[in-house]
Amino acid sequence: MAFFKYEYFKLNSTNFPYAHLADKRTQHWLLVESYGDVVALVTLYLLLVRYLPKWMQRYCISHLYNSYRRKPFQMKPLMLLYNFLMALLNAHICKELLFNGIRSKYNFWCQPSRELYTKEELRIAAAVWWFYFSKLLEFADTIFFILRKKREQLTFLHVYHHGTMFPLWWIAIKWVPTGSTIIPSVTNSFIHVIMYSYYGLSALGPSVQKFLWWKKYLTALQLIQFVFGACWSAQAIIRGCDFPTWINVTTIVYMASLLFLFGQFYVKTYQTNKIKDK
């Protein structure tokens, strides 16, 4: 675990509400101790979303171009590597959480987060940290859209989803890195294995893209995930699960927002286009 016990930024090491309740196992891991680090990185992300497209629009890449607009970057090798590595990382996270949860005899409907130092519990916490860190790596999705001038994909849904997942999972890794936290981690990492595999195959070009008929069903699977996440959190509250109620309430509200936004995207992209085709 020595790899995690190093803090790059430490922009804010002051106390804040409920800091004394944080899980002691993860406090000195990378990007966990200080909320200032999270605020700084999300702010940087939003600034890039705001100003990088303007930079791409205004300046040419070299004096050889007659246009004063920067050409889209061709990033096929990098995108192939990134997407397949992200798929492998999420597969590893999913496997670690499931196997160690089963070995620890977790109740997957309600499992308290205890400060235990068994090998399995520490591996679960490490997998949740990697899941949290993967939300920072996913900022690259947005950067790729901008550099490739895929402005139609830089939607409010995309920026909202990416900009909120990282700080929300900071809460999880800081206060509840084990226990019932593994349920949303497992479901989301499983779907991300499919999603990044799709993106990786799509990056191979038109010769492969014509066989990728299942993008619509990937979005439908994400919608099912949000419904499941909200229902799972609701049942935990109803049955009085020994897991922070405020986290379950936050999960329900967040799942509802994603269900609404992804639902709009699904209807606009697939149902409306289907009607137009007819």
Side-chain angles (χ1 to χ4, degrees):
M1 303 303 295
F3 172 78
F4 297 105
K5 294 181 179 180
Y6 184 77
E7 192 76 28
Y8 277 122
F9 299 105
K10 284 193 176 179
L11 298 180
N12 192 333
S13 58
T14 59
N15 290 328
F16 50 92
Y18 306 108
H20 64 288
L21 299 176
D23 195 294
K24 295 180 177 61
R25 293 171 295 181
T26 61
Q27 293 317 292
H28 300 293
W29 292 5
L30 177 65
L31 298 177
V32 176
E33 183 176 0
S34 170
Y35 68 88
D37 301 339
V38 178
V39 171
L41 289 166
V42 172
T43 301
L44 177 61
Y45 170 74
L46 294 176
L47 287 172
L48 286 172
V49 171
R50 178 71 176 83
Y51 293 105
L52 188 56
K54 292 185 177 182
W55 177 77
M56 286 292 295
Q57 194 74 8
R58 291 179 181 177
Y59 300 101
C60 58
I61 193 170
S62 78
H63 297 295
L64 297 177
Y65 291 135
N66 294 323
S67 171
Y68 286 99
R69 294 184 178 182
R70 180 177 285 275
K71 303 296 183 182
F73 285 94
Q74 301 302 317
M75 311 178 71
K76 182 176 177 179
L78 179 59
M79 290 184 62
L80 278 171
L81 179 64
Y82 168 77
N83 286 308
F84 285 123
L85 285 179
M86 288 297 287
L88 288 174
L89 174 60
N90 278 278
H92 169 74
I93 293 167
C94 189
K95 181 265 294 182
E96 283 290 290
L97 292 172
L98 275 177
F99 286 4
N100 288 288
I102 293 171
R103 288 169 186 158
S104 299
K105 298 181 179 179
Y106 265 29
N107 179 346
F108 287 97
W109 290 107
C110 173
Q111 180 66 36
S113 180
R114 308 295 190 201
E115 287 190 14
L116 302 175
Y117 289 83
T118 63
K119 178 182 177 182
E120 289 77 17
E121 284 283 303
L122 291 175
R123 289 185 70 165
I124 289 171
V128 172
W129 182 88
W130 274 110
F131 185 77
Y132 157 67
F133 188 67
S134 74
K135 301 309 164 190
L136 176 62
L137 298 179
E138 287 174 13
F139 286 174
D141 295 349
T142 308
I143 307 304
F144 289 151
F145 285 159
I146 296 172
L147 294 179
R148 296 168 61 228
K149 287 197 171 184
K150 300 291 185 179
R151 294 295 299 273
E152 70 281 359
Q153 294 177 303
L154 197 62
T155 61
F156 172 78
L157 165 60
H158 177 87
V159 176
Y160 169 76
H161 183 45
H162 282 69
T164 53
M165 285 292 280
F166 181 57
L168 286 174
W169 279 96
W170 173 75
I171 294 173
I173 191 61
K174 188 167 185 68
W175 276 278
V176 284
T178 57
S180 286
T181 300
I182 75 169
I183 302 303
S185 307
V186 165
T187 55
N188 194 253
S189 59
F190 172 74
I191 289 176
H192 276 66
V193 172
I194 303 172
M195 185 184 77
Y196 280 109
S197 297
Y198 171 87
Y199 289 157
L201 292 170
S202 181
L204 291 172
S207 60
V208 175
Q209 289 173 0
K210 62 183 179 181
F211 297 107
L212 302 178
W213 48 267
W214 37 280
K215 181 180 180 181
K216 173 182 177 180
Y217 300 100
L218 176 58
T219 306
L221 191 60
Q222 289 174 309
L223 292 171
I224 293 171
Q225 172 197 191
F226 303 143
V227 173
F228 170 77
C231 292
W232 177 85
S233 295
Q235 67 83 30
I237 295 172
I238 292 169
R239 68 190 298 179
C241 180
D242 185 11
F243 194 79
T245 301
W246 64 275
I247 290 182
N248 283 324
V249 171
T250 301
T251 300
I252 292 171
V253 173
Y254 188 60
M255 291 297 103
S257 71
L258 291 180
L259 185 61
F260 174 75
L261 292 171
F262 272 83
Q264 280 189 321
F265 168 79
Y266 184 88
V267 170
K268 181 180 178 181
T269 304
Y270 301 112
Q271 298 301 320
T272 304
N273 289 343
K274 186 177 179 181
I275 293 172
K276 286 181 179 179
D277 291 340
K278 286 184 178 179

